[in-house]
Amino acid sequence: MTETAEPDFDAIVIGAGIAGCVTAYQLARQGRSVLVIERGEAPGSKNLSGGVLYSRGIQQVFPGFLDEAPVERRITRNYINFLNADSSVAVDYRDARLADPVNAVTVLRAKLDPWLAERCEEAGAVIMPGVRVDRVLTENGPAGTRVLGVRAGDDELRAHVVVAADGVNSFIAKEAGLRKQEPLNHLAVGVKSVVSLPRETIEARFNLTGDEGAAIAAVGDCTEGVGGGGFLYTNIDSISVGIVVRLDDLTAKKKVVTDIFDHFLEHRFIAPYLDGGLTLNTGLTVRGMDLAVGSAVAAAEAIGDALDRKDASRAGLARYREKLFASYVGQDMKTYAKAPGFLEIERMYKQYGELFADVLYGAFNLDTQPRQHLVKVARQSLGQSPLKVRQLVRDGIAGARAL
């Protein structure tokens, strides 16, 4: 900072989502002066995301999270579905161990984000809603360009550190030159609805009791062959349902994302879950809430260290990356670095689901003819499939390495 421009805050956080609030909360708990700027009229007012939050990380930040936060249900059932036009092959995994200790919960961000913002204010952070940050303030010096604060309309606010927590496609980070435009195959677009249903209806349809919850993930016909998938998550008295598709594949196949979404809602194996429901809202959604928590914890620790050393330069803040990649977030990024490439294999979204269904049809279709061993049934089904043995082997190896 220059001698004539004393900072207004130790840190300015742009965005009052999960990442922004956890960062601000941790810094405020350190005794730092923190401002959180939120574009929406209130935290959560613009956020149509939500879904399954793997909650172990956020429980470390807020030990009373499960009892105090507005969580919906505790996920004890994970249902993975290969969806075809007229058939469905699924793995239905239920486990009481996922409930004690709790592994994951469903949340609605319109409820969760205001709760997080309240925790920030209790810790001493200042929340400024209804304000859009136009750009960051910078100055050039011997060590390069340095961020001094932000401009919002006619106002300039200065801080030792500015945190861009304005979403996975952060416009502030791009404007500051920290990120380049992502290629299409790195981007996905999603459409989501929250469908209102009575609590008793949800529990009956998903075979749940008490605060148990279910998460359904689907690939295949749900996205009409476009790379991506569909999801259904149970809330207390609503269901979050939607699709997420790769932007490059959507563009190449000249599909309309809302048409794919409508197709998913009307699918013969999905529609019964939603029958009689009332749609409350729709919009874009991104996932990764548990990763937002982990990255926020790493950011707060690194910023605290930098402020203690009075060095908020690029070098002084470099420990963020060290802490991030030493955490479960960074380790998971390394573990699954090959997963995006594996999920770009087009036959994952059509031929494999059809092959699995054909094998099971041969096993369960008792037509009074002598039965064949399952291996022979599988060979016959593979012979009728466009898939080749070498593709199965290659994809199997790639899947083992990626997942």
Side-chain angles (χ1 to χ4, degrees):
M1 303 294 298
T2 62
E3 294 182 0
T4 59
E6 192 66 24
D8 303 293
F9 299 92
D10 289 324
I12 293 175
V13 179
I14 304 171
I18 291 178
C21 282
V22 172
T23 301
Y25 175 79
Q26 297 279 71
L27 288 172
R29 294 264 295 177
Q30 296 174 15
R32 316 294 181 182
S33 58
V34 185
L35 172 67
V36 181
I37 302 177
E38 165 57 37
R39 183 175 180 180
E41 294 182 2
S45 63
K46 291 176 58 61
N47 200 322
L48 297 177
S49 181
V52 175
L53 167 60
Y54 293 93
S55 55
R56 304 271 173 88
I58 202 166
Q59 289 178 65
Q60 293 178 354
V61 179
F62 303 102
F65 179 79
L66 294 175
D67 297 322
E68 300 168 8
V71 300
E72 297 289 310
R73 291 182 179 270
R74 306 183 184 203
I75 297 300
T76 57
R77 181 187 181 196
N78 290 273
Y79 192 89
I80 304 171
N81 196 328
F82 286 87
L83 207 60
N84 306 312
D86 299 306
S87 61
S88 168
V89 180
V91 175
D92 191 356
Y93 170 58
R94 305 187 67 165
D95 199 324
R97 293 175 296 180
L98 295 176
D100 187 17
V102 173
N103 174 65
V105 296
T106 48
V107 297
L108 295 169
R109 294 290 297 278
K111 297 180 180 180
L112 177 63
D113 289 14
W115 183 87
L116 291 172
E118 289 176 4
R119 304 291 80 72
C120 289
E121 290 181 317
E122 290 174 357
V126 177
I127 307 291
M128 183 184 291
V131 176
R132 187 186 74 178
V133 173
D134 298 308
R135 65 180 181 87
V136 293
L137 302 174
T138 61
E139 71 173 1
N140 295 321
T145 302
R146 183 173 182 177
V147 173
L148 303 178
V150 301
R151 174 181 287 277
D154 295 330
D155 296 325
E156 291 187 355
L157 298 166
R158 295 175 177 258
H160 290 295
V161 179
V162 174
V163 180
D166 54 325
V168 67
N169 295 315
S170 170
F171 295 105
I172 292 298
K174 292 176 182 177
E175 192 269 338
L178 299 177
R179 295 183 60 175
K180 298 179 180 179
Q181 181 64 41
E182 297 285 350
L184 286 184
N185 67 324
H186 287 187
L187 301 174
V189 61
V191 180
K192 170 195 168 187
S193 285
V194 178
V195 178
S196 177
L197 284 169
R199 177 171 187 159
E200 298 77 10
T201 301
I202 292 173
E203 291 171 1
R205 290 182 183 177
F206 290 86
N207 192 20
L208 304 170
T209 59
D211 62 357
E212 289 181 338
I216 295 180
V219 296
D221 188 61
C222 57
T223 57
E224 297 185 312
V226 177
F231 61 85
L232 286 88
Y233 307 133
T234 58
N235 304 312
I236 294 175
D237 53 9
S238 65
I239 296 174
S240 297
V241 55
I243 60 163
V244 179
V245 292
R246 286 185 8 236
L247 196 53
D248 62 325
D249 206 20
L250 182 73
T251 303
K253 293 176 178 173
K254 299 181 179 179
K255 296 278 190 176
V256 179
V257 68
T258 51
D259 291 344
I260 296 176
F261 176 63
D262 290 339
H263 170 77
F264 180 52
L265 296 184
E266 296 165 1
H267 196 283
R268 62 188 301 170
F269 295 111
I270 299 300
Y273 287 115
L274 309 171
D275 184 48
L278 172 66
T279 300
L280 300 180
N281 57 60
T282 62
L284 301 184
T285 180
V286 293
R287 297 178 63 186
M289 293 182 285
D290 60 314
L291 303 183
V293 172
S295 63
V297 170
E301 291 177 353
I303 292 169
D305 291 346
L307 292 175
D308 284 341
R309 298 193 308 272
K310 295 182 170 36
D311 181 10
S313 66
R314 179 190 296 267
L317 292 169
R319 294 189 67 186
Y320 165 64
R321 289 183 61 85
E322 297 175 12
K323 292 179 179 292
L324 179 69
F325 284 100
S327 72
Y328 68 90
V329 177
Q331 294 302 309
D332 286 352
M333 290 173 65
K334 292 178 181 178
T335 298
Y336 296 108
K338 295 181 179 180
F342 174 70
L343 296 176
E344 289 182 6
I345 299 174
E346 187 169 350
R347 48 188 172 268
M348 292 284 298
Y349 304 101
K350 181 174 176 61
Q351 286 90 347
Y352 275 109
E354 294 174 344
L355 175 61
F356 296 155
D358 288 346
V359 172
L360 292 175
Y361 177 75
F364 287 97
N365 178 39
L366 303 180
D367 55 2
T368 74
Q369 298 298 313
R371 309 311 300 153
Q372 296 177 337
H373 286 293
L374 187 59
V375 172
K376 188 172 184 179
V377 172
R379 287 175 177 170
Q380 291 176 344
S381 299
L382 182 58
Q384 298 169 359
S385 169
L387 291 169
K388 305 301 179 185
V389 173
R390 65 178 181 276
Q391 292 175 327
L392 266 69
V393 173
R394 185 165 63 245
D395 293 346
I397 295 173
R401 291 174 175 173
L403 305 179

